[in-house]
Amino acid sequence: EPEVTQTPSHQVTQMGQEVILRCVPISNHLYFYWYRQILGQKVEFLVSFYNNEISEKSEIFDDQFSVERPDGSNFTLKIRSTKLEDSAMYFCASSEAGTDTQYFGPGTRLTVL
Amino acid sequence: GEDVEQSLFLSVREGDSSVINCTYTDSSSTYLYWYKQEPGAGLQLLTYIFSNMDMKQDQRLTVLLNKKDKHLSLRIADTQTGDSAIYFCAEISGYSTLTFGKGTMLLVSP
């Protein structure tokens, strides 16, 4: 069964460094999403992406964040100048055209020291 | 704004039924979802219900939707120890963003 994959599973970085989290969505899906879950808190929407453009973004998704689909299979989230409060589990999701049903990857745990 | 609320913890014995409840606020939500998260794993889509339905059954899972009260429930029949996990209720809001509850931790004891 096709699934969303994410790498790395765990990333440790120093405050102020840049990180890139990678996702491979399900191959025939056209809509891509990033969510995050800070430990003990709700899963929060960050951004959605379609047709090489951001469709929607939350207040969390400020200038520190960017997304890109560098090729036909990968979808990346870049966090510039990481802060301690960026420590969280980051989930990628994808959905087919014509449906709102989103399938999630296993997540990347980001730890900022 | 949109908000989804769930009870945080439920403990049942193996073989019993489990009922996990959720309330949501966005009456325009078209779909409502249940996701399962096992320890150290991602969010697994369990089931979903379209907003014009009031019930959906899928093997051991039954979803009930009361649109008037904005109440959603997930019933797991014959609960097994492998069902122990965190269960998230979520609604579609905005363009196509999911708003999640905090999750209900289900603990199934033998």
Side-chain angles (χ1 to χ4, degrees):
Chain A
E1 188 175 322
E3 56 185 22
V4 177
T5 59
Q6 291 185 242
T7 53
S9 56
H10 192 185
Q11 173 96 46
V12 181
T13 190
Q14 295 288 327
M15 192 168 57
Q17 296 295 304
E18 175 182 286
V19 294
I20 297 176
L21 310 184
R22 291 184 165 79
C23 169
V24 179
I26 295 172
S27 63
N28 63 333
H29 286 189
L30 299 178
Y31 294 81
F32 315 117
Y33 311 84
W34 283 101
Y35 292 79
R36 79 172 184 192
Q37 184 182 29
I38 294 172
L39 189 63
Q41 297 188 23
K42 292 185 179 187
V43 177
E44 302 171 290
F45 168 76
L46 292 178
V47 66
S48 60
F49 191 85
Y50 169 72
N51 200 25
N52 284 319
E53 286 183 349
I54 290 175
S55 308
E56 193 171 5
K57 59 183 181 178
S58 71
E59 290 173 356
I60 304 166
F61 193 89
D62 59 21
D63 292 343
Q64 183 195 7
F65 295 89
S66 62
V67 289
E68 193 179 24
R69 186 147 164 87
D71 53 43
S73 60
N74 289 281
F75 179 52
T76 62
L77 175 69
K78 183 190 289 187
I79 310 174
R80 285 180 282 276
S81 189
T82 48
K83 304 189 280 262
L84 295 176
E85 53 265 38
D86 295 328
S87 294
M89 182 75 91
Y90 288 80
F91 292 107
C92 174
S94 68
S95 63
E96 287 182 86
T99 172
D100 289 326
T101 302
Q102 296 174 29
Y103 295 86
F104 282 75
T108 293
R109 180 166 296 284
L110 176 66
T111 302
V112 182
L113 303 176
Chain B
E2 300 85 13
D3 202 12
V4 178
E5 298 289 340
Q6 301 178 238
S7 52
L8 294 183
F9 187 73
L10 176 65
S11 179
V12 300
R13 288 194 175 275
E14 196 172 21
D16 288 350
S17 291
S18 307
V19 179
I20 301 171
N21 294 300
C22 168
T23 56
Y24 61 97
T25 55
D26 188 348
S27 57
S28 65
S29 292
T30 50
Y31 287 94
L32 294 134
Y33 297 87
W34 286 103
Y35 284 86
K36 176 183 179 183
Q37 186 179 36
E38 295 183 27
L43 296 165
Q44 175 197 350
L45 177 65
L46 266 186
T47 187
Y48 59 91
I49 189 166
F50 189 50
S51 58
N52 69 351
M53 298 169 66
D54 52 21
M55 186 179 99
K56 179 180 179 181
Q57 186 144 8
D58 184 0
Q59 300 182 342
R60 291 192 296 122
L61 305 178
T62 303
V63 180
L64 295 177
L65 175 61
N66 180 328
K67 274 198 82 170
K68 177 175 162 289
D69 295 337
K70 298 193 186 77
H71 184 265
L72 183 73
S73 68
L74 174 70
R75 179 177 181 269
I76 306 172
D78 187 26
T79 317
Q80 303 297 305
T81 53
D83 294 324
S84 292
I86 300 176
Y87 291 80
F88 292 92
C89 168
E91 62 175 346
I92 283 286
S93 52
Y95 184 61
S96 61
T97 63
L98 286 170
T99 299
F100 285 85
K102 265 197 162 182
T104 298
M105 179 177 290
L106 174 65
L107 180 65
V108 184
S109 52

